[in-house]
């Protein structure tokens, strides 16, 4: 492993108002179009008051991104908010769109459908990096190696796919284009917070066990076998760590982190290094209540109470518009 006192080669200092632009460059994130072409077809007869449709669209690498759009049928006349739901590595759009329950292996299933039952239009996607999308871990690593010389990254494509899903939601009849949220678990949590940092038009976000805290702390005090190469954005620590990205790119938009104290994907020290920096940024813009970090005792698992925290956050800031 690398020495704990290593410093970035040629660290770069630059103004706070350029953080988002630099993040986009590091991710190699191409411009997300204002409208996304997608195909759709009915998936099932309406159940639990939800109409489901399969959708698909192509990312900038020409890969197909599959998803399931869930729209509540019993809704008020006013436009409703939309939420993009991204699973962890072992999940998929199908698992996020099933009926709400916990499986025998402890995985929380159907949380995207449950959000739809509570009044949101939700779009679950099988994002880049999920087992459904990658042939093998070796192919996944090879792709990362071959993308790097082009200034592209898998994290950037993951964020791109998430933002394209948000554009799809904006095109759905009856969805309020100004009230789009992002959320996800694990890999999906990374998708949510990186995408939100890149796109100021996203209204709110929730990252569940989403690897947000400190990339440096993860490298030196985390488990290097937990993450594949996508997590380690090239050159990032020459410019900033997670705290500066979140502090400069999120406020005043509502952002919730659910970061268990024993989450194997991010050391507690990383979360606690980020927390005061970001809290200070939200306080400075007069919206201290729009940032929250939940640190329950536990490991890398999506519990029912975490879902309730997520749902309450979106109900507060998307269904009831913040002043």
């Amino acid at each position: 492993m690398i020495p704990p006192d290593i410093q970035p080669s040629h660290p770069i200092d630059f103004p706070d108002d350029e953080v988002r632009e630099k993040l986009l460059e590091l991710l190699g994130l191409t411009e997300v179009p204002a409208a996304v072409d997608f195909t759709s077809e009915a998936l099932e007869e309406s159940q639990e008051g939800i109409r489901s449709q399969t959708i698909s669209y192509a990312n900038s690498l020409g890969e197909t991104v599959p998803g399931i759009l869930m729209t509540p049928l019993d809704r008020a006349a006013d436009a409703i908010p939309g939420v993009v739901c991204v699973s962890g590595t072992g999940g998929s759009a199908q698992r996020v769109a099933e009926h709400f329950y916990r499986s025998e292996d402890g995985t929380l299933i159907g949380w995207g459908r449950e959000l739809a039952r509570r009044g949101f239009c939700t779009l679950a996607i099988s994002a880049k990096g999920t087992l459904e999308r990658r042939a093998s871990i070796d192919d996944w690593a090879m792709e990362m190696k071959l993308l790097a010389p082009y200034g592209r990254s898998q994290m950037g494509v993951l964020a791109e796919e998430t933002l394209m899903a948000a554009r799809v939601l904006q095109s759905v009849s009856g969805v309020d284009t100004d009230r789009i949220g992002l959320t996800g678990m694990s890999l999906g949590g990374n998708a949510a917070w990186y995408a939100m940092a890149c796109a100021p038009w996203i209204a709110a976000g929730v990252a569940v066990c989403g690897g947000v805290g400190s990339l440096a702390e993860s490298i030196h005090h985390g488990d290097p076998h937990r993450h594949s190469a996508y997590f380690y954005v090239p050159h990032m620590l020459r410019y900033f760590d997670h705290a500066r990205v979140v502090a400069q790119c999120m406020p005043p938009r509502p952002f919730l982190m659910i970061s268990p104290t024993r989450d194997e994907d991010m050391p507690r020290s990383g979360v606690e290094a980020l927390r005061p920096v970001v809290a200070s940024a939200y306080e400075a813009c007069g919206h201290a209540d729009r940032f929250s970090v939940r640190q329950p005792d536990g490991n890398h698992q999506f519990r029912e109470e975490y879902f309730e925290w997520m749902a309450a956050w979106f109900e507060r800031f998307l269904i009831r518009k913040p002043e």
Side-chain angles (χ1 to χ4, degrees), residues 106-174:
T107 303
L108 192 63
I109 306 295
W111 49 273
R113 176 178 285 270
E114 181 62 17
L115 274 179
R117 279 200 339 106
R118 301 189 186 196
F120 301 90
C121 181
T122 61
L123 176 52
I125 62 171
S126 295
K128 189 170 186 66
T130 54
L131 296 181
E132 177 181 323
R133 293 273 306 278
R134 69 189 197 200
S136 71
I137 191 65
D138 289 338
D139 288 342
W140 179 239
M142 178 62 74
E143 182 190 63
M144 182 67 182
K145 181 167 67 175
L146 299 180
L147 284 174
Y150 289 94
R152 304 293 300 277
S153 73
Q154 289 169 330
M155 188 72 84
V157 180
L158 177 61
E160 173 196 72
E161 291 183 357
T162 304
L163 293 174
M164 293 180 78
R167 291 299 197 199
V168 171
L169 277 176
Q170 287 182 320
S171 73
V172 174
S173 177

Side-chain angles (χ1 to χ4, degrees), residues 86-88 102 108 111 115 182-193 205-212 255-260 263 265-266 294 296 299-311 313-314:
V86 189
S87 75
R102 181 170 293 283
L108 192 63
W111 49 273
L115 274 179
L182 307 178
T183 189
M185 161 65 185
S186 191
L187 177 140
N190 276 287
W193 84 261
V206 178
V208 182
C209 301
V212 57
F255 180 54
L256 169 64
M257 294 169 49
I258 301 175
S259 306
D263 185 354
D265 275 14
M266 176 54 63
R294 295 270 197 162
N299 62 354
H300 192 74
Q301 188 179 36
F302 195 176
R303 296 178 177 173
E304 287 90 340
E305 68 176 321
Y306 304 173
F307 169 81
E308 294 297 341
W309 294 340
M310 172 206 294
W313 190 259
F314 286 138

